[in-house]
Amino acid sequence: MAFDEIKEELMGAEAEMRSYVETSEEYLRLRIFKILMLFVTSITQSLLIGIGSVFALLFLSFAACLAISESLGSYYGGFIIIGAFYVLLGIMLYIFRKKLNAPILRKFSNYYFEQR
């Protein structure tokens, strides 16, 4: 009789353990889905904002080139000055690239390690 009770308790514990494993698996799948969706939406938003910013910067650059060219009296002068500005900006971004990575890493680590 005592043996039957132990056997029933072990069978109940096995069922509870199986339920726990299945629930943990579902939770893990939902957590991974949430992280992936945060990543995808963040990348999509960044791309859309980036594309819009590039177009705005392109047209503003052309306007600045033409304005500088007109004031210098040289058609190529404005384009050379704006081109040199972008080369200088590229060099500065290259020099400070490690400092630029930190905010990006922090943002995505917040998504991954955020509190439940």
Side-chain angles (χ1 to χ4, degrees):
M1 190 147 155
F3 184 71
D4 290 335
E5 289 177 11
I6 293 174
K7 182 179 176 184
E8 287 179 20
E9 286 182 18
L10 285 175
M11 290 176 66
E14 178 189 5
E16 288 180 20
M17 187 64 123
R18 192 177 307 249
S19 174
Y20 173 75
V21 169
E22 289 172 0
T23 304
S24 296
E25 182 181 333
E26 289 176 19
Y27 173 75
L28 183 61
R29 290 177 66 201
L30 285 174
R31 178 99 171 116
I32 291 171
F33 177 76
K34 179 184 176 186
I35 292 168
L36 286 175
M37 287 300 102
L38 284 172
F39 177 73
V40 168
T41 56
S42 178
I43 292 295
T44 303
Q45 289 172 355
S46 298
L47 283 174
L48 290 175
I49 291 170
I51 289 170
S53 298
V54 166
F55 278 120
L57 184 63
L58 178 71
F59 286 116
L60 289 172
S61 295
F62 276 124
C65 289
L66 294 175
I68 293 171
S69 295
E70 187 177 309
S71 68
L72 291 177
S74 169
Y75 187 70
Y76 299 107
F79 286 94
I80 290 172
I81 290 172
I82 296 297
F85 169 75
Y86 284 126
V87 168
L88 181 63
L89 182 66
I91 291 170
M92 296 298 288
L93 288 173
Y94 180 77
I95 291 171
F96 295 112
R97 69 187 179 275
K98 291 182 181 177
K99 290 185 181 183
L100 295 172
N101 287 341
I104 295 169
L105 183 61
R106 209 169 316 141
K107 180 176 182 175
F108 284 110
S109 65
N110 284 340
Y111 283 148
Y112 187 75
F113 295 111
E114 104 182 336
Q115 297 296 326
R116 299 182 230 291

